[in-house]
Amino acid sequence: MRISRELWSKVLLLYQEFKRRGEPLGRPRLMKMLGISENYARAILFALENRDIIRLEPLNFTPVKTELVIADIHIPFHDPLAVESALSYAERQGVDLIVILGDLVDFYKISTFLKNPSKKSVGEEIKQAKDFLKDLRQRFKNAKIIYKEGNHEFRLQRYLMKNAPEIYNLVDNLLQVSLELKDLNIEYVIEPFRVGKLWHLHGHERPGGSYNPEYITNVMWKYIHDHFIVGHYHRTQEKVYKRIDGKNYWGGAVGYLAKNLEYATLNNWTQGFAIIRYAEDGTFRAELRRIVNGDIF
């Protein structure tokens, strides 16, 4: 029985949530929440039990010429000056691919910590994010745009799993629909993917939680062992790794494009973005840029 990539992604989200709760994810729950048959649920449970030896072919996107990578805009806490600096620079570079590497929306009101009731609602955040994406599409009419899910987008999925499990299978694509991604020709991606030879991740996918390590690329390299770029950690960083066979691999982290978040006022975050230039064979040259008060370095 074939399990689609889309369904498998939903299963993993459910598995992570029920594991966090300390509750089993059995056939009845899978059948109810995903609207599938008992035989399908059995196949999925078998795949979960054997997921360490089952491997999906990675999503691959045909290499392009020039890519802009941005991450962690955290609308409505975004920094308009930093965002404009990154997009204006990308326009001058003639990018034909834009990747939003997670946490475009903050989803402050449905986070797990104590919330300030005066802050913007989920609906207001969605509206601002939709306006941002419409402007992005207007400015880059011919570019391919990929939106990778981050841990803050997962907040919405987690909220629905917890508070509306009976109708989860009806609203699990609520974010994509609310942001009108189909109309804007923006592709929403849940799993890590490659462009050419470069893996793209948000950064929260590794095991062990989402703490903020000092040596980001070293931490991620232990799990990837290939070229990669991540967001999530709100700092710019890069390093080249050399294997025993002499092959070199690049790892990089882009900064964030928000202001200081009220739940993390003391930090050593840096604003930034990346420009990636690809050759026809998928090899690339990465250019990490930092932003300070709107100026690019």
Side-chain angles (χ1 to χ4, degrees), residues 104-120:
L104 170 64
V105 192
D106 192 83
F107 287 118
Y108 175 84
K109 285 290 182 68
I110 54 175
S111 61
T112 56
F113 53 79
L114 185 65
K115 274 80 69 177
N116 182 339
S118 68
K119 294 299 180 181
K120 294 184 183 297

Side-chain angles (χ1 to χ4, degrees), residues 61-79:
F61 293 98
T62 302
V64 292
K65 291 183 178 179
T66 310
E67 173 190 9
L68 166 68
V69 182
I70 53 178
D72 299 278
I73 300 176
H74 288 280
I75 292 171
F77 302 108
H78 58 294
D79 185 342

Side-chain angles (χ1 to χ4, degrees), residues 42-269:
R42 287 179 184 274
I44 286 172
L45 287 176
F46 176 82
L48 279 173
E49 292 170 0
N50 295 275
R51 64 188 179 280
D52 289 337
I53 60 173
I54 295 175
R55 293 289 181 266
L56 292 175
E57 287 299 316
L59 289 170
N60 283 283
F61 293 98
T62 302
V64 292
K65 291 183 178 179
T66 310
E67 173 190 9
L68 166 68
V69 182
I70 53 178
D72 299 278
I73 300 176
H74 288 280
I75 292 171
F77 302 108
H78 58 294
D79 185 342
L81 181 59
V83 171
E84 179 57 34
S85 295
L87 296 185
S88 294
Y89 188 90
E91 285 178 319
R92 296 194 295 273
Q93 305 306 309
V95 300
D96 50 357
L97 171 64
I98 299 172
V99 172
I100 303 168
L101 212 50
D103 289 2
L104 170 64
V105 192
D106 192 83
F107 287 118
Y108 175 84
K109 285 290 182 68
I110 54 175
S111 61
T112 56
F113 53 79
L114 185 65
K115 274 80 69 177
N116 182 339
S118 68
K119 294 299 180 181
K120 294 184 183 297
S121 68
V122 170
E124 291 171 323
E125 290 189 15
I126 290 290
K127 182 181 182 305
Q128 286 193 37
K130 185 162 58 175
D131 289 342
F132 167 80
L133 292 173
K134 286 181 177 178
D135 178 67
L136 187 68
R137 174 49 75 197
Q138 180 64 28
R139 294 176 69 164
F140 298 90
K141 291 183 174 64
N142 299 317
K144 182 177 182 63
I145 302 177
I146 302 171
Y147 181 177
K148 166 72 174 72
E149 179 182 87
N151 57 298
H152 280 252
E153 282 81 15
F154 181 65
R155 284 180 176 179
L156 181 60
Q157 294 283 358
R158 183 177 61 203
Y159 183 86
L160 293 172
M161 291 176 193
K162 182 178 180 180
N163 296 284
E166 295 81 5
I167 61 170
Y168 175 74
N169 64 308
L170 300 177
V171 295
D172 64 316
N173 63 342
L174 178 61
L175 180 61
Q176 297 95 306
V177 173
S178 298
L179 292 176
E180 300 178 3
L181 298 186
K182 184 176 181 180
D183 292 340
L184 293 171
N185 193 23
I186 295 175
E187 184 165 357
Y188 191 80
V189 177
I190 294 176
E191 300 176 30
F193 62 91
R194 287 188 305 212
V195 177
K197 297 183 182 296
L198 181 63
W199 278 97
H200 293 59
L201 307 88
H202 175 60
H204 71 304
E205 296 88 350
R206 66 177 179 79
S210 297
Y211 74 97
N212 206 314
E214 179 64 26
Y215 301 103
I216 301 164
T217 55
N218 284 353
V219 170
M220 298 304 299
W221 167 255
K222 290 191 298 184
Y223 299 99
I224 302 171
H225 296 283
D226 206 337
H227 304 291
F228 68 87
I229 189 165
V230 298
H232 187 54
Y233 299 104
H234 296 193
R235 296 205 301 279
T236 52
Q237 194 175 103
E238 65 179 324
K239 189 173 180 178
V240 174
Y241 300 87
K242 187 175 183 179
R243 288 195 331 194
I244 192 170
D245 60 2
K247 293 181 179 178
N248 292 306
Y249 293 85
W250 180 86
V254 297
Y256 77 133
L257 292 175
K259 299 177 180 178
N260 285 342
L261 308 179
E262 68 174 40
Y263 46 84
T265 54
L266 294 177
N267 59 69
N268 59 352
W269 298 340

